[in-house]
Amino acid sequence: MLVLGIETSCDETSAALVADGRTVLSNIIANQLELHRKYGGVVPEIAARRHTELIGYVINEALDAGGRTLRDVEAVAVTAKQGLVGSLLVGVAAAKTLSYMLRVPLIGVHHIEGHIFAGMLSNPELPLPHVCLTVSGGHTLLVHVRDYCKYELLGGTVDDAAGEAFDKIAKFFDLGFPGGPVIDRLATQGNRKAFHFPRPLLKAEANYFSFSGLKTAVINAFKSELASGETLPLADIAASFQEAVVDVLVTKAMRAAKQCGVSAISVTGGVSANRRLREVFSATCKREDASVYFPALSLCTDNAAMIAAAGQARLALGQADDMSLDVIPNVPLEVQHAG
Ligand code: KG4
Ligand code: ZN
């Protein structure tokens, strides 16, 4: 089955063709970074307008790159839940139009479910059940993936998401946007033991995260130096801050996996591209007889291939939407309660 995926929940306009939920024929991602950079973050109104300009183009590109035409599309999957309302609306309007025109099923997907499927799409050997840590600009979420589309929410952040902390720290030190990739690069030249920043909630048994306090601690430590124009050891700050985030993410995900009695961990979302996170996760899992799986870099950040894969799985379970499909900007992933 050939599924056309559409993702416009934030600032990436993406369309993809995925065959049988497994083979990515194309995955076109148009990002709008240049438009948002000068504001140091995504401006919802600008994002929605740009999606309207790009959506037709990325769908055509996805068809061309995949060597298919609209007539070959057998279902349309679109991110309908979790994201910026104006941005989501553009994708859902496009998906409904295509579904109606082509007379093929329409499937609305939760954005986080997409990230969970990015892990499975990249790693067909990833076992079920597993624990998935989704770390992005908007989320830090631990999910027990019991089976296809069957989830148990284990916990998440009580304030900032991990990616948000990277972005805010980078913005404060004027390093650029988005902050994650910049700090990732800069940290390779720094000493991660130069500063010891707090590891919020590290010891707490509950699967909750808090990154706001860490961000404030880092900012407060250097506020006066920055104001007095002193040269700051930015690479050391980046490396030490990143180490604190990585420490918390790895420790908590390993603990959650143990609680669930699983030995496989999938790490997804934009922050899963982070090199130090990958390194520490891999080393820790090797030591503790567990396995960690990361998506290919092209599937870490927002993309439509993961939405197509999730849509195909929902369709296989007999689930589809109709023309009443609406967007829901803020709603948790649907769960299946244990027992
Ligand atoms: O998944 P994503 O594209 O969008 C959301 O759903 O939020 O994630 C974007 C986030 C941004 O906060 C960005 O700074 C972060 O992922 N990010 C990274 C890296 N690449 C992207 N964070 C740390 N290290 C990276 N290499
Ligand atoms: Zn995302």
Side-chain angles (χ1 to χ4, degrees):
M1 164 169 273
L2 186 69
V3 179
L4 170 68
I6 296 176
E7 153 66 39
T8 61
S9 67
C10 192
D11 62 334
E12 263 101 14
T13 320
S14 180
L17 288 180
V18 175
D20 302 324
R22 281 196 300 270
T23 311
V24 180
L25 301 183
S26 62
N27 189 23
I28 306 298
I29 305 169
N31 79 48
Q32 316 174 358
L33 285 178
E34 288 315 317
L35 292 178
H36 301 280
R37 189 161 273 139
K38 67 177 170 207
Y39 303 102
V42 176
V43 182
E45 178 67 22
I46 295 176
R49 282 168 194 261
R50 189 65 178 143
H51 283 310
T52 61
E53 293 164 358
L54 290 171
I55 189 74
Y57 168 78
V58 297
I59 291 171
N60 280 330
E61 282 291 302
L63 291 166
D64 279 357
R68 302 289 196 278
T69 70
L70 272 182
R71 261 194 293 267
D72 301 316
V73 172
E74 293 170 279
V76 182
V78 61
T79 309
K81 291 175 191 164
Q82 202 71 40
L84 302 170
V85 63
S87 292
L88 289 167
L89 277 168
V90 178
V92 169
K96 280 184 178 178
T97 307
L98 287 171
S99 157
Y100 184 75
M101 196 178 100
L102 302 171
R103 297 183 196 289
V104 297
L106 170 71
I107 311 112
V109 171
H110 193 292
H111 183 73
I112 294 293
E113 182 161 52
H115 279 302
I116 290 172
F117 271 85
M120 297 197 267
L121 195 51
S122 274
N123 304 287
E125 75 283 16
L126 172 61
L128 284 164
H130 64 256
V131 161
C132 181
L133 170 69
T134 299
V135 261
S136 69
H139 309 276
T140 301
L141 196 66
L142 275 166
V143 178
H144 183 188
V145 183
R146 297 153 66 87
D147 203 343
Y148 288 109
C149 307
K150 294 196 171 50
Y151 310 112
E152 182 190 352
L153 298 187
L154 301 171
T157 180
V158 295
D159 42 52
D160 290 352
E164 195 178 352
F166 273 95
D167 294 339
K168 286 179 176 171
I169 291 288
K171 188 176 179 182
F172 178 79
F173 291 105
D174 216 6
L175 297 173
F177 172 79
V182 183
I183 290 180
D184 188 345
R185 262 196 312 278
L186 191 59
T188 58
Q189 298 147 34
N191 174 4
R192 48 184 181 258
K193 292 189 178 143
F195 304 98
H196 187 82
F197 295 127
R199 269 80 168 147
L201 299 182
L202 185 71
K203 299 228 158 67
E205 277 300 311
N207 296 308
Y208 287 100
F209 302 87
S210 166
F211 292 107
S212 174
L214 166 62
K215 172 201 69 193
T216 310
V218 176
I219 289 175
N220 284 345
F222 300 100
K223 230 174 196 164
S224 52
E225 283 93 331
L226 198 69
S228 65
E230 276 183 46
T231 312
L232 291 174
L234 287 174
D236 289 347
I237 296 172
S240 304
F241 158 74
Q242 179 177 269
E243 198 66 8
V245 176
V246 166
D247 196 5
V248 172
L249 293 175
V250 173
T251 306
K252 294 246 165 198
M254 297 299 297
R255 193 180 295 150
K258 274 188 198 131
Q259 283 166 4
C260 295
V262 303
S263 60
I265 300 173
S266 166
V267 190
T268 66
V271 182
S272 70
N274 186 273
R275 281 170 284 181
R276 182 67 184 152
L277 182 71
R278 289 181 172 226
E279 190 176 277
V280 176
F281 250 124
S282 302
T284 310
C285 282
K286 203 169 172 192
R287 227 176 24 245
E288 301 199 13
D289 215 13
S291 328
V292 65
Y293 300 81
F294 297 96
L297 288 181
S298 60
L299 297 178
C300 285
T301 47
D302 292 348
N303 68 88
M306 68 186 193
I307 302 302
Q312 159 98 51
R314 291 248 161 221
L315 202 58
L317 294 171
Q319 301 171 13
D321 291 281
D322 58 24
M323 287 299 137
S324 67
L325 175 68
D326 206 352
V327 305
I328 310 183
N330 197 2
V331 61
L333 188 64
E334 212 174 293
V335 299
Q336 197 216 27
H337 293 287

